[in-house]
Amino acid sequence: MQNQSQNCQCPRKECKNHGDCNICNAKHKAAGNLPFCLRQKSLNFDSNGTHIFYTKSGQGQPLIFVHGNMASGQFFKDCPKLFKDFTVFLPDSRSHGKSDSVKRLNYDDMADDIVRLIDHEKMVKPILFGFSDGAIVGTLIAIKHPDLLGKLFAAGINLTPKGINGFWRFVARAVFCLAFPFKFGDKMRLMLTQPNILAKDIKTIKTPTIALFAQNDRVKKADSQTLADNAADGKLIIIEGENHGSYIADNQKLYNILKEHLIEYMTKEKAQDKANEK
């Protein structure tokens, strides 16, 4: 983040409301910056005995980014600056980043952590973008809590371990054989044994869902297609010329892909709110 402008009238502490920030909000946006009280905060909360670390920045509709295996919320480090009209949350999954480590990982617990984060922050209809393991987590949330999310983006998802292309499953097995005594061995075990999401489970999803699949992905297109076909309001987007993480690691590319879909969603939400007021 850039340093606060010398002319900024925001207090050098969190604002109790955003009234003071509105004075210079437009100026900060034009400069690629944010008022002090909207900048990234490092936080944590207790998720049934496991402390989950996350960052929070901005204001507006809540937008949660959930990272993949072996990564952390910092995989999306540029997103708070790009998605300025949203409150951006970047959690570290359990046993990743700055969150507590656990003896045994499973996707259901990871999904419950995000549900508890949503409750902890009192979010209303958050948008969730999940990549790889994060896409699995987001899909499980949409299955278990049909009315919780406003929109789901699932990028590079596999619905079962067989949804990972054969070569990459072989690599994961080889790494697991070498790494199982160490901390990251459990992360390889997770990839080889979970998830087990069925089409009948996906049919319960009411959340508007976009499955993103890269042309040169490590996972099979069939799983993204199954998600898009069986969610009540599903859509598949194929991203040409990219691999499993290339368009995610380049947060600007990710922003360019998502912005039109987010604008479309927010426009519909505002129209619905106006209709409900009448």
Side-chain angles (χ1 to χ4, degrees), residues 5-264:
S5 168
Q6 292 181 350
N7 297 321
C8 177
Q9 298 180 51
C10 294
R12 291 185 177 276
K13 59 183 180 180
E14 280 194 28
C15 296
K16 292 180 180 178
N17 55 57
H18 297 304
D20 291 329
C21 292
N22 288 335
I23 298 170
C24 57
N25 195 36
K27 179 186 68 178
H28 276 281
K29 281 192 175 183
N33 200 357
L34 285 170
F36 184 74
C37 71
L38 303 184
R39 295 185 190 182
Q40 193 172 79
K41 305 174 184 69
S42 296
L43 302 163
N44 69 79
F45 73 102
D46 185 291
S47 177
N48 197 28
T50 301
H51 282 89
I52 301 298
F53 173 87
Y54 66 101
T55 63
K56 174 183 178 180
S57 60
Q59 67 176 345
Q61 176 79 6
L63 174 57
I64 309 168
F65 289 91
V66 185
H67 61 79
N69 201 317
M70 305 288 287
S72 74
Q74 282 302 296
F75 195 59
F76 303 103
K77 59 183 170 54
D78 295 322
C79 287
K81 292 184 289 185
L82 295 168
F83 296 90
K84 292 179 183 177
D85 296 322
F86 296 85
T87 303
V88 176
F89 294 88
L90 305 180
D92 289 351
S93 296
R94 53 177 54 208
S95 291
H96 291 75
K98 296 180 181 178
S99 290
D100 284 354
S101 293
V102 296
K103 288 183 179 180
R104 184 59 64 96
L105 280 169
N106 71 74
Y107 290 120
D108 286 320
D109 289 341
M110 294 161 78
D112 288 344
D113 290 337
I114 300 301
V115 172
R116 292 188 185 108
L117 171 62
I118 292 168
D119 180 65
H120 176 74
E121 283 284 345
K122 297 179 172 56
M123 300 182 213
V124 177
K125 292 290 184 180
I127 299 164
L128 190 148
F129 177 91
F131 165 61
S132 197
D133 277 19
I136 295 167
V137 166
T139 300
L140 289 173
I141 292 171
I143 290 169
K144 292 191 205 176
H145 306 274
D147 299 314
L148 187 62
L149 301 177
K151 192 173 185 70
L152 171 65
F153 293 91
I157 192 171
N158 59 288
L159 301 177
T160 70
K162 290 184 178 179
I164 302 172
N165 286 326
F167 171 76
W168 291 107
R169 282 209 317 279
F170 170 79
V171 170
R173 287 194 193 96
V175 172
F176 174 72
C177 290
L178 296 171
F180 75 90
F182 304 103
K183 285 184 178 180
F184 64 93
D186 192 44
K187 295 169 185 171
M188 295 297 103
R189 178 201 60 79
L190 184 68
M191 290 174 59
L192 293 169
T193 60
Q194 297 183 34
N196 293 287
I197 301 172
L198 304 176
K200 67 176 184 179
D201 301 322
I202 297 170
K203 287 183 185 295
T204 67
I205 294 178
K206 296 191 294 184
T207 305
T209 299
I210 292 182
L212 295 136
F213 176 79
Q215 183 181 25
N216 303 309
D217 221 315
R218 295 180 188 178
V219 293
K220 296 177 180 177
K221 179 185 173 185
D223 283 15
S224 294
Q225 189 73 63
T226 298
L227 176 59
D229 288 347
N230 288 278
D233 184 4
K235 180 179 180 181
L236 174 65
I237 295 176
I238 299 173
I239 303 166
E240 303 291 338
E242 301 287 347
N243 62 39
H244 187 58
S246 58
Y247 66 102
I248 312 289
D250 185 340
N251 290 174
Q252 183 64 57
K253 279 186 180 179
L254 178 62
Y255 172 76
N256 292 338
I257 292 166
L258 295 187
K259 64 180 180 180
E260 63 180 288
H261 303 288
L262 290 172
I263 291 169
E264 178 186 13

